[in-house]
C-alpha cells in the first residue's frame, strides 16, 4: 500500500499488508517499529526504489503493536466506570 494517511498505516498493520508512507514523518510510529510500514518520503525515485524492494521481499508474518487487540473500548469503559 502506498499512502500518506495515518489511518491507512494502522489498517495495513492490522491486516499484515506492507505499507510505504509517502511522507517524511508519521504520527503512527508503532507501525514503523513493528516493521509493517516504512517512511518513503516524497522523492519519486526513493518511493519507486522502496516499493520494488518491498515487492521483492519475502512475505513475513505481520507484527501487531501491543494493545492493538480490538479491545480499546472495553478498556476505556473500565477506566470511566470502574464499578
Amino acid at each position: 500500500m502506498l499512502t500518506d494517511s495515518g489511518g491507512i498505516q494502522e489498517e495495513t498493520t492490522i491486516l499484515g499488508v506492507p505499507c510505504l508512507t509517502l511522507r517524511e514523518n508519521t504520527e503512527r510510529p508503532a507501525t514503523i517499529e513493528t516493521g509493517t510500514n516504512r517512511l518513503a518520503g516524497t522523492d519519486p525515485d526513493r518511493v519507486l526504489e522502496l516499493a520494488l524492494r518491498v515487492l521483492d521481499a519475502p512475505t513475513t508474518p505481520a507484527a501487531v503493536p501491543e494493545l492493538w487487540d480490538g479491545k480499546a473500548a472495553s478498556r476505556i469503559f473500565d477506566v470511566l466506570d470502574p464499578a
Side-chain angles (χ1 to χ4, degrees):
M1 173 66 66
L2 302 175
T3 187
D4 68 350
S5 165
I8 295 295
Q9 295 169 49
E10 290 181 347
E11 297 298 331
T12 58
T13 295
I14 290 296
L15 296 173
V17 174
C19 182
L20 293 179
T21 298
L22 308 180
R23 298 186 343 208
E24 301 297 332
N25 56 47
T26 179
E27 66 280 6
R28 309 303 203 283
T31 66
I32 303 291
E33 293 162 6
T34 61
T36 58
N37 181 24
R38 296 181 69 178
L39 290 176
T42 58
D43 175 62
D45 292 332
R46 173 141 169 87
V47 171
L48 179 59
E49 174 191 337
L50 286 176
L52 292 173
R53 197 177 308 163
V54 168
L55 290 171
D56 286 340
T59 304
T60 57
V64 177
E66 185 179 356
L67 300 178
W68 286 30
D69 58 7
K71 298 178 183 177
S74 62
R75 285 192 290 272
I76 292 167
F77 180 81
D78 290 343
V79 168
L80 296 175
D81 185 24

